[in-house]
């Protein structure tokens, strides 16, 4: 199975900050990586697919990059509605696997 | 508007069975692969399994943790996806989400709100 390791597991940031979350795959997955946002008590929401493509309707402050084993999700200017948990997920091979999540909290 | 609505969750004893349903609307269900994903209380997301579309013979894939106990099926005529869960264990307690796979990139682009399954005596 491909292990997805996210870092950090949590971070505190202020409104307006630039935030970067890292996701590392235990083996190469090409660009078959997605990012999701989840708020407490809610379903996950798709943000990024194919490592760097923005899901329709998602604001451009979210961006993704990387290929192979190392990926990043960047939020260019953190807003109150962005405080949530973020997950990466590989869909290159079965079983599909998620990272452990990064909780973004208010400083 | 694309919608996925799960139902069928509840409290069940260990060793019992439960059948979850996901009814979809707003898109051509038969064209899409569909997944089930679960989230145990306070934990991260875990992929459960997948059903492919009719074009790919409705074949399925499962996580090792549920293989042989869970079964995914679909009824395209009723826009419905199912998760039959047998031999339930306490560790199957979770919120279960159905998700649609994008037709071209095969990532989970739309999710339902989830239904809660509690396995406890």
């Amino acid at each position: 199975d491909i292990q997805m390791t996210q870092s950090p597991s949590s971070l505190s940031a202020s409104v307006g900050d630039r935030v970067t979350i890292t996701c590392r795959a235990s083996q190469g997955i090409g660009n078959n990586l997605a990012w999701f946002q989840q708020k407490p008590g809610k379903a996950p929401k798709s943000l990024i697919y194919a490592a760097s493509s923005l899901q329709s309707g998602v604001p451009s402050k979210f961006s993704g990059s990387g290929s192979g084993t190392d990926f990043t999700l960047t939020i260019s200017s953190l807003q109150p509605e962005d405080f949530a948990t973020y997950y990466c997920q590989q869909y290159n091979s079965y079983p599909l696997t998620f990272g452990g999540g990064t909780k973004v909290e208010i400083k | 508007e694309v919608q996925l609505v799960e139902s069928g969750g509840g409290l069940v004893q260990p060793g019992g069975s439960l059948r979850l349903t996901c009814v979809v609307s707003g898109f051509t269900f038969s064209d899409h692969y569909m997944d089930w994903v679960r989230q145990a209380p306070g934990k991260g997301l875990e992929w459960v399994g997948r059903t492919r579309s009719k074009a790919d013979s409705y074949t399925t894939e499962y996580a090792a943790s549920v293989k042989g106990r869970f079964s995914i099926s679909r009824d395209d005529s009723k826009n419905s996806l199912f998760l039959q869960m047998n031999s339930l264990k306490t560790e199957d307690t979770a919120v279960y989400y159905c998700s649609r796979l994008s037709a071209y990139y095969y990532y989970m682009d739309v999710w339902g709100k989830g239904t809660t399954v509690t396995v406890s005596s």
Side-chain angles (χ1 to χ4, degrees):
Chain A
D1 298 4
I2 298 175
Q3 282 197 317
M4 305 301 293
T5 303
Q6 280 183 241
S7 61
S9 56
S10 66
L11 65 90
S12 294
S14 300
V15 172
D17 282 354
R18 181 182 180 90
V19 168
T20 298
I21 299 168
T22 297
C23 179
R24 175 164 289 176
S26 60
Q27 63 190 76
I29 60 171
N31 69 340
N32 295 312
L33 184 105
W35 288 97
F36 301 93
Q37 176 194 67
Q38 187 179 34
K39 297 181 179 178
K42 301 295 186 182
K45 173 188 172 185
S46 172
L47 297 177
I48 300 282
Y49 64 96
S52 60
S53 296
L54 199 64
Q55 171 74 15
S56 175
V58 173
S60 58
K61 62 183 170 181
F62 292 97
S63 63
S65 65
S67 68
T69 60
D70 293 310
F71 303 87
T72 59
L73 172 71
T74 299
I75 309 171
S76 60
S77 177
L78 203 63
Q79 296 303 305
E81 63 270 20
D82 303 328
F83 291 95
T85 300
Y86 294 84
Y87 294 93
C88 63
Q89 182 237 336
Q90 68 83 17
Y91 52 96
N92 187 69
S93 62
Y94 297 105
L96 308 187
T97 45
F98 290 87
T102 296
K103 187 173 184 179
V104 177
E105 298 176 301
I106 302 172
K107 183 182 285 184
Chain B
E1 181 193 4
V2 173
Q3 281 195 318
L4 290 71
V5 180
E6 302 93 337
S7 62
L11 174 64
V12 60
Q13 292 189 335
S17 298
L18 210 56
R19 189 193 200 204
L20 306 184
T21 299
C22 171
V23 176
V24 313
S25 58
F27 65 98
T28 305
F29 178 61
S30 58
D31 287 346
H32 290 263
Y33 293 13
M34 299 291 295
D35 279 4
W36 287 97
V37 175
R38 67 184 181 183
Q39 187 169 36
K43 302 297 185 183
L45 300 168
E46 180 189 15
W47 177 75
V48 172
R50 168 171 296 178
T51 175
R52 296 181 179 87
S53 62
K54 180 179 181 181
D56 290 306
S57 305
Y58 298 127
T59 52
T60 53
E61 304 285 346
Y62 297 95
S65 58
V66 306
K67 197 169 186 177
R69 301 188 298 123
F70 290 13
S71 177
I72 298 173
S73 60
R74 60 193 292 166
D75 184 340
D76 289 353
S77 69
K78 295 182 179 178
N79 283 353
S80 295
L81 171 72
F82 306 103
L83 179 64
Q84 177 67 44
M85 303 185 294
N86 299 329
S87 303
L88 281 160
K89 306 175 181 180
T90 55
E91 52 263 41
D92 295 318
T93 294
V95 176
Y96 284 75
Y97 298 100
C98 62
S99 64
R100 183 185 81 169
L101 277 291
S102 160
Y104 298 105
Y105 290 95
Y106 299 102
Y107 71 100
M108 302 172 198
D109 65 348
V110 183
W111 296 63
K113 289 181 165 57
T115 187
T116 300
V117 172
T118 303
V119 184
S120 174
S121 54

